[in-house]
Amino acid sequence: MYYIKKNIEISASHQLHLPYESKCNELHGHNYDINIYCKSEELDENGMVLDFTHIKKKVMDKLDHKNLNEILDVPTTAENIARWICEQLGPKCYKVKVAESKGNLAIYER
């Protein structure tokens, strides 16, 4: 089995709609630190699990400097962002970690 990890940083805004008082109910932004994990039993024709550049482009083009509420059709929690990224990258992606700030980390794993 081959494994790769890609680290990406994005800046994005979002707003949660929580049923309790929270500063997250206001539009605000984060500098997200994202770790993406992929695996494959065999390498592709280029000798890769997935091209690091393609992973970065797919995530950056869709999420960087965007309002996440306009992209995701679920609440824009770190947990849902992690799952959404994993699904965008296909079956070789098996885990995504999203830190929206130091000390706050969400992990999605298939």
Side-chain angles (χ1 to χ4, degrees), residues 17-89:
H17 303 285
L18 302 170
Y20 52 86
E21 189 174 323
S22 171
K23 63 184 181 179
C24 294
N25 285 324
E26 300 295 327
L27 183 64
H28 62 284
H30 296 285
N31 292 318
Y32 293 92
D33 184 38
I34 302 167
N35 287 290
I36 299 166
Y37 300 81
C38 301
K39 65 181 179 179
S40 180
E41 289 186 16
E42 297 190 18
L43 301 177
D44 68 13
E45 62 278 1
N46 300 309
M48 302 177 193
V49 172
L50 288 174
D51 189 316
F52 290 119
T53 304
H54 294 159
I55 294 170
K56 180 179 180 181
K57 182 170 177 38
K58 195 167 236 183
V59 175
M60 296 289 283
D61 285 357
K62 292 186 180 181
L63 302 182
D64 192 40
H65 286 81
K66 303 285 194 306
N67 179 343
L68 301 180
N69 295 87
E70 295 174 357
I71 298 165
L72 279 71
D73 60 355
V74 294
T76 54
T77 60
E79 295 89 340
N80 280 329
I81 294 166
R83 188 194 62 192
W84 187 88
I85 291 169
C86 194
E87 290 171 351
Q88 296 301 302
L89 293 172

Side-chain angles (χ1 to χ4, degrees), residues 96-109:
V96 176
K97 295 180 181 181
V98 173
E100 63 182 22
S101 59
K102 187 173 179 153
N104 295 327
L105 176 71
I107 302 169
Y108 175 79
E109 188 170 352

